Amino acid sequence: MATNPVNGNSAADLYSSLNTTQKQATSELDAAQNRFLMLLTTQLRMQDPLSPMDNAQVTSQLAQISTVDGITKLNSTLEKMMASTSDAQHLQATALVGRAVLIEGSDLTLVEGKAMGGVELTTPADDVVVTIKGANGVIVREMALGDQDAGITQFVWDGEDNSGTPVAKDGSYSFSVKAVQGGKTLTSTPLELAVVGSVERTGGVTRLNVGQQGLVTMNDIKQIY
């Protein structure tokens, strides 16, 4: 179940706090504008009639306060957009609770003789080989995936060793990946299957709890099932 993103405070308290902050900022801006206009008015009233202020100078000063006001409003708009994006991302993450996802990692969990993992390649490969090991580090199975395009490739292990014999039991295994192109070893990333158990948001950042793998962000999710 998703945790409360407001850290124990009610939504009403949060909105009240945000509104108070916004009103304070607006009040401060209005006060600054009033002071500027008062100074400009005083300057115009006290100017020498024989040497009045240049129109270009007046226009420049008015433009300055207009620019400050515009920047302040732009900042306010950007803050609202960022908050809206954060809320949307949190809702999207909440919808993933209970779903299986691929994230970076090299663990394999064999359940009822089946396990699934993935490989991420930055460039195409002539040959990709997945090596599966038991908890003792001994190689159990080598799986040739053949040539693969850049991107994410899934694989399914049937729980059999290299001789075609089912392994003794379900449980935790690990795997490594070797990808080759033209005899040259490529960069490859192993991807493990995890289940999203809950979602939390701290400091405006949404994270997903995926069990033993800990907390990950939405950007860490490679594929969703």
Side-chain angles (χ1 to χ4, degrees), residues 188-218:
S188 58
T189 304
L191 304 176
E192 63 184 70
L193 195 67
V195 177
V196 180
S198 62
V199 176
E200 64 179 54
R201 181 164 65 179
T202 55
V205 179
T206 296
R207 294 182 174 86
L208 301 91
N209 189 328
V210 289
Q212 293 183 350
Q213 293 88 338
L215 297 174
V216 299
T217 66
M218 289 292 290

Side-chain angles (χ1 to χ4, degrees), residues 26-195:
T26 301
S27 178
E28 292 174 359
L29 176 61
D30 289 342
Q33 290 177 336
N34 289 336
R35 287 195 297 270
F36 181 89
L37 291 175
M38 183 179 297
L39 288 173
L40 180 60
T41 302
T42 301
Q43 186 177 3
L44 290 172
R45 187 172 64 250
M46 301 298 293
Q47 67 181 335
D48 184 354
L50 300 179
S51 181
M53 185 183 298
D54 185 21
N55 289 337
Q57 187 178 357
V58 176
T59 302
S60 174
Q61 295 192 30
L62 290 174
Q64 290 178 27
I65 190 172
S66 177
T67 300
V68 172
D69 185 31
I71 293 175
T72 302
K73 289 180 179 178
L74 177 60
N75 289 337
S76 177
T77 300
L78 290 175
E79 289 175 359
K80 291 178 180 177
M81 290 176 63
M82 292 176 64
S84 177
T85 299
S86 179
D87 290 341
Q89 187 181 61
H90 187 76
L91 289 175
Q92 183 183 10
T94 302
L96 295 180
V97 174
R99 300 281 296 275
V101 296
L102 276 182
I103 60 174
E104 185 173 340
S106 58
D107 290 336
L108 272 180
T109 302
L110 189 66
V111 180
E112 297 181 355
K114 298 290 182 182
M116 178 181 171
V119 179
E120 184 174 24
L121 301 174
T122 56
T123 57
D126 291 334
D127 189 34
V128 178
V129 176
V130 172
T131 301
I132 301 172
K133 299 179 181 180
N136 54 6
V138 175
I139 295 177
V140 176
R141 176 77 175 274
E142 289 186 336
M143 299 175 59
L145 305 184
D147 61 311
Q148 299 292 336
D149 294 330
I152 296 174
T153 299
Q154 304 94 5
F155 67 88
V156 176
W157 177 38
D158 58 10
E160 296 181 354
D161 60 20
N162 283 329
S163 65
T165 303
V167 296
K169 60 181 180 179
D170 289 347
S172 297
Y173 294 80
S174 64
F175 73 99
S176 59
V177 180
K178 183 177 182 180
V180 178
Q181 173 70 284
K184 181 181 179 181
T185 301
L186 305 176
T187 299
S188 58
T189 304
L191 304 176
E192 63 184 70
L193 195 67
V195 177

